[in-house]
Amino acid sequence: DKRMLWTMRFMHKFMKYLFSVNTSLLPLVACRMIRMSSENGCSCDSAMGFVAYGWAALNILQDIEEAYKWAKLCLLLPEILSSPALLPKLTCYFHSFTSFFKEPIQASCDTLRNTHQDLLMVGDVQEAFDASFNHCRQMLFAGIDLVTVDKHCASTTLEMTKFAQVHGNLSTSSHHLVILKLIGSDFTKNPFEAFKGVLTEEIRNEDDLLQHAVSTGKAGVVQAIRFNRLFLAYWFKHYEEAAEMAALYKTRTMMPLIDIYHAFYEGLTA
């Protein structure tokens, strides 16, 4: 039924905007997609309905078991639908948002590194660099030595610049700054050089980046910066500053990993 296929494709595309604009509507769209899939059969777009339902189970119902079950189910769909090109994107979502609740974060981190290349191979550039950013983020929490993390962050920033992935570079540069501060860098490497001549505003440091993110409504970037500052303040024993950053942080369900670590560090600074 071409009409049903078009409707599923529309809801799939519509979901991308809901993730940024109004996440409260995602469960409604997800349930509608799952119902249509059960009544008319699954299409490639059905997978995103399952992903969104798992997201809702995790972030609204706070049911980790249910979220994990649906996320694992998504990974079976490419084989069922004979659409292997779907697998890298679904793998990226699974290991970026769900797997670490049940599996060692080291395994998730390694998989994201490989998924980045798989996504580039199928032409999904945006998701490829989402996988790269989450890989760099998880490396910090996976116990990997900071010099190695620094190298990965630098190469990710360079590659993002080549592919004109400006938005992804915003959060990556702030995360790279965390690594440089932890290893005591003399800052001969400036993670914000990637924005030179790219944006209308000049971004020379993290304060400029925060101002840009606030003025342009990039809530995810704002929250990433606030968490990074909380993390650094705690480890450098600036506990009052850490408490201030913890109070400013507002949970965003798009980033459950740093939400978890925020709750942990907020508890330590209470």
Side-chain angles (χ1 to χ4, degrees):
D1 187 330
K2 291 184 178 180
R3 182 172 175 273
M4 290 296 179
L5 288 172
W6 184 90
T7 302
M8 290 290 287
R9 176 56 54 91
F10 173 79
M11 288 192 287
H12 174 189
K13 300 297 183 184
F14 184 49
M15 239 177 229
K16 293 183 178 181
Y17 296 99
L18 290 182
F19 268 114
S20 301
V21 178
N22 190 349
T23 53
S24 64
L25 295 178
L26 274 172
L28 297 177
V29 178
C31 289
R32 178 63 175 162
M33 291 181 76
I34 291 173
R35 180 177 177 181
M36 288 181 63
S37 297
S38 64
E39 291 176 350
N40 301 281
C42 288
S43 68
C44 292
D45 294 299
S46 300
M48 297 312 299
F50 294 163
V51 167
Y53 183 82
W55 173 91
L58 178 63
N59 294 288
I60 297 176
L61 302 178
Q62 297 182 350
D63 188 335
I64 292 174
E65 295 293 338
E66 185 74 1
Y68 185 78
K69 179 181 74 176
W70 281 89
K72 289 290 281 187
L73 175 63
C74 288
L75 298 180
L76 300 176
L77 286 177
E79 182 177 352
I80 294 171
L81 299 172
S82 299
S83 183
L86 267 178
L87 185 58
K89 177 185 284 191
L90 297 177
T91 302
C92 175
Y93 290 159
F94 177 63
H95 289 288
S96 295
F97 302 116
T98 310
S99 67
F100 48 80
F101 283 97
K102 298 280 289 180
E103 301 174 12
I105 196 170
Q106 290 84 356
S108 170
C109 183
D110 289 343
T111 303
L112 283 170
R113 179 180 58 190
N114 298 328
T115 302
H116 165 73
Q117 294 299 330
D118 294 339
L119 285 161
L120 286 179
M121 290 292 290
V122 298
D124 197 336
V125 175
Q126 182 177 342
E127 295 298 344
F129 289 107
D130 284 346
S132 282
F133 169 68
N134 284 296
H135 172 234
C136 290
R137 169 75 77 184
Q138 291 184 16
M139 287 178 78
L140 176 61
F141 302 124
I144 296 170
D145 71 275
L146 294 175
V147 174
T148 300
V149 182
D150 172 33
K151 290 177 181 178
H152 277 277
C153 286
S155 63
T156 296
T157 298
L158 181 61
E159 197 172 12
M160 281 184 172
T161 303
K162 289 180 179 178
F163 281 87
Q165 294 295 301
V166 178
H167 180 74
N169 240 343
L170 297 175
S171 295
T172 304
S173 61
S174 177
H175 177 66
H176 192 188
L177 182 64
V178 172
I179 307 305
L180 292 172
K181 286 185 175 181
L182 288 174
I183 63 179
S185 170
D186 58 2
F187 292 99
T188 52
K189 293 184 288 186
N190 182 356
F192 303 102
E193 285 182 353
F195 306 118
K196 192 173 183 179
V198 176
L199 299 171
T200 54
E201 305 169 52
E202 186 177 4
I203 297 180
R204 297 158 297 182
N205 51 48
E206 192 176 57
D207 288 333
D208 289 344
L209 177 58
L210 180 59
Q211 184 177 350
H212 168 77
V214 170
S215 65
T216 54
K218 293 180 173 64
V221 178
V222 173
Q223 293 306 86
I225 293 172
R226 285 175 175 163
F227 171 77
N228 291 340
R229 290 182 171 184
L230 160 62
F231 181 82
L232 284 172
Y234 178 81
W235 282 106
F236 285 109
K237 300 183 179 181
H238 303 151
Y239 300 124
E240 290 186 5
E241 181 185 348
E244 290 175 7
M245 289 298 107
L248 285 172
Y249 187 95
K250 296 177 182 177
T251 298
R252 260 190 110 240
T253 46
M254 275 293 289
M255 297 186 291
L257 179 62
I258 64 170
D259 283 351
I260 294 166
Y261 279 95
H262 164 258
F264 175 71
Y265 285 104
E266 183 179 39
L268 291 178
T269 58

